[in-house]
């Protein structure tokens, strides 16, 4: 899939569902935005914001005009998921932004979110743009147990705070699919393997494992990853999620062991940046920066646990 491509999701029994490759971090098949074409059309996540025109073009290709979009549903407020929300809200006047209450203030005034993101992503900030603030009147707060009615489809909200305390996943029962946010890791379709996501500053290993149990209980046929794309799991959902639990466990153990060995956090970060196995897929720069980000998150978790 190439940057700017829009595809209908035909995985499993999905209908009325599309996804866009936003070209996040100038990388193919890393960042996806999902579009649901229903009575109340919806976008699930928005990308960084640098991809904004691609999102507009995708909506137009699906047949959703500026006066049609009604729902901008954010799985969480990390800027690779929510950075484009303000741009969309400004251009699509009938769309409300649905977000966890912890995220409301950051959407209204993104300044602290921007500062935290710059500290977390380091050199990757070059791929971001400053997000647009969203009027508070345009924000609808959502929590575990809520539901967003789209018509034929609904988005049932389930809390999944392991990756970040403001993270939720959206269950679409009509499609027997779940928009998994970052709760189920990063799916890499090119190699059909799962990779870890453990960014600072709120990564919580034990809660991440609990979030996988939440997803398993929903028993979906399709997992819709923002990183990247729909994945059919069918009767093997338990196996797929247990696979990510193992990846997480092995990753946290590896960082802990290397920290004990090197006794220097920066040396640990550089070690994993230099030994990543994803350069052939994402390119050397993105693979290295991703490893640094994920290592920082685990180091922060380990320090907090102590």
């Amino acid at each position: 899939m190439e940057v700017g491509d829009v595809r209908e999701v035909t995985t499993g029994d999905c209908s009325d569902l599309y996804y866009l490759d936003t070209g996040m971090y100038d990388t193919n098949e890393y960042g996806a935005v999902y579009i649901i074409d229903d009575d109340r059309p919806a976008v699930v996540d928005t990308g960084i914001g640098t991809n904004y025109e691609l999102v507009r073009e995708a909506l137009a290709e699906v047949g959703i005009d500026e006066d049609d979009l009604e729902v901008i549903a954010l799985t969480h407020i990390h800027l690779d998921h929510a950075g484009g929300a303000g741009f969309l809200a400004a251009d699509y006047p009938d769309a409300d932004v649905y977000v966890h209450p912890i995220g409301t203030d950051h959407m209204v005034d993104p300044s602290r979110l921007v500062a935290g993101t710059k500290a977390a992503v380091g050199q990757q900030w070059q791929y971001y743009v400053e997000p647009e603030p969203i009027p508070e009147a345009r924000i609808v707060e959502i929590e575990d147990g809520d539901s967003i009615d789209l018509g034929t489809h609904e988005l049932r909200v389930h809390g999944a705070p392991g990756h970040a305390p403001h993270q939720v996943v959206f269950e679409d029962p009509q499609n027997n699919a779940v928009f998994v946010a970052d709760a189920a890791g990063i799916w890499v379709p090119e190699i059909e393997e799962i990779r870890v996501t453990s960014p600072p500053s709120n990564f919580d290993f034990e809660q991440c494992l609990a979030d996988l149990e939440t997803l398993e209980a929903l028993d979906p046929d399709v997992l819709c990853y923002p990183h990247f794309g729909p994945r059919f799991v069918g009767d093997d959902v338990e196996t797929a999620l247990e696979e990510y639990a193992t990846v997480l466990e092995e990753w946290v153990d590896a960082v802990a062991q290397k920290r004990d060995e090197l006794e220097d956090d920066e040396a640990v970060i550089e070690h994993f940046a230099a030994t990543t196995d994803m350069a052939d897929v994402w390119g050397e720069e993105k693979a290295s920066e991703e490893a640094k980000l994920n290592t920082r998150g685990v180091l922060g978790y380990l320090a907090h646990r102590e």
Side-chain angles (χ1 to χ4, degrees):
M1 193 167 180
E2 300 293 328
V3 174
D5 285 350
V6 182
R7 292 184 181 174
E8 184 174 4
V9 178
T10 56
T11 310
D13 294 323
C14 287
S15 62
D16 309 317
L17 180 60
Y18 303 81
Y19 71 116
L20 161 72
D21 185 338
T22 66
M24 191 177 293
Y25 305 117
D26 284 351
T27 301
N28 290 348
E29 295 190 342
Y30 185 86
V33 165
Y34 290 89
I35 299 169
I36 305 171
D37 186 15
D38 206 339
D39 297 338
R40 300 183 68 226
V43 167
V44 177
D45 284 343
T46 67
I48 286 176
T50 48
N51 57 12
Y52 174 59
E53 288 303 322
L54 293 179
V55 178
R56 282 185 56 93
E57 291 168 8
L59 286 165
E61 184 173 333
V62 172
I64 298 171
D65 295 330
E66 290 182 354
D67 293 334
D68 294 333
L69 188 68
E70 294 194 28
V71 173
I72 302 168
L74 301 178
T75 60
H76 57 302
I77 63 167
H78 288 165
L79 288 182
D80 57 327
H81 297 258
F87 298 100
L88 279 176
D91 279 1
Y92 294 80
D94 294 325
D96 288 323
V97 178
Y98 292 75
V99 67
H100 190 280
I102 292 175
T104 297
D105 289 346
H106 295 288
M107 293 291 95
V108 174
D109 177 4
S111 56
R112 285 185 298 145
L113 182 60
V114 167
T117 303
K118 288 180 177 179
V121 305
Q123 293 182 7
Q124 291 186 99
W125 179 254
Q126 65 182 301
Y127 298 107
Y128 289 72
V129 294
E130 295 278 344
E132 287 291 318
I134 299 169
E136 191 166 1
R138 299 282 300 281
I139 291 176
V140 180
E141 294 183 338
I142 50 171
E143 297 186 84
D144 185 271
D146 289 340
S147 180
I148 306 170
D149 182 11
L150 305 181
T152 302
H153 301 265
E154 64 175 321
L155 297 176
R156 296 179 182 172
V157 181
H158 302 274
H163 179 80
H166 41 78
Q167 180 177 258
V168 301
V169 299
F170 295 115
E171 177 191 9
D172 176 357
Q174 180 70 23
N175 279 336
N176 200 12
V178 176
F179 300 93
V180 296
D182 286 337
I186 293 176
W187 174 244
V188 187
E190 182 175 330
I191 57 176
E192 295 189 344
E193 293 182 6
I194 198 76
R195 290 293 184 269
V196 73
T197 174
S198 58
S201 58
N202 299 121
F203 170 70
D204 182 331
F205 172 57
E206 286 80 15
Q207 185 59 58
C208 282
L209 296 180
D211 294 344
L212 291 172
E213 293 179 1
T214 296
L215 291 172
E216 184 180 334
L218 300 178
D219 195 27
D221 281 344
V222 179
L223 303 177
C224 293
Y225 292 84
H227 314 294
F228 174 87
R231 177 188 181 190
F232 181 75
V233 290
D235 294 336
D236 292 328
V237 62
E238 180 180 356
T239 301
L241 296 174
E242 286 180 351
E243 175 189 5
Y244 184 52
T246 299
V247 168
L248 268 176
E249 290 166 354
E250 291 178 348
W251 169 239
V252 172
D253 285 347
V255 175
Q257 290 174 18
K258 189 58 64 173
R259 185 186 68 155
D260 291 344
E261 174 190 333
L262 298 178
E263 298 182 342
D264 182 301
D265 282 2
E266 286 305 314
V268 174
I269 292 167
E270 290 305 320
H271 166 78
F272 286 107
T275 57
T276 176
D277 64 351
M278 292 302 293
D280 289 342
V281 178
W282 292 336
E284 186 172 337
E285 178 189 9
K286 175 56 187 166
S288 174
E289 291 300 318
E290 185 81 12
K292 290 178 182 179
L293 183 73
N294 288 327
T295 306
R296 291 190 194 103
V298 175
L299 290 170
Y301 158 77
L302 293 171
H304 179 76
R305 188 179 64 177
E306 295 169 352

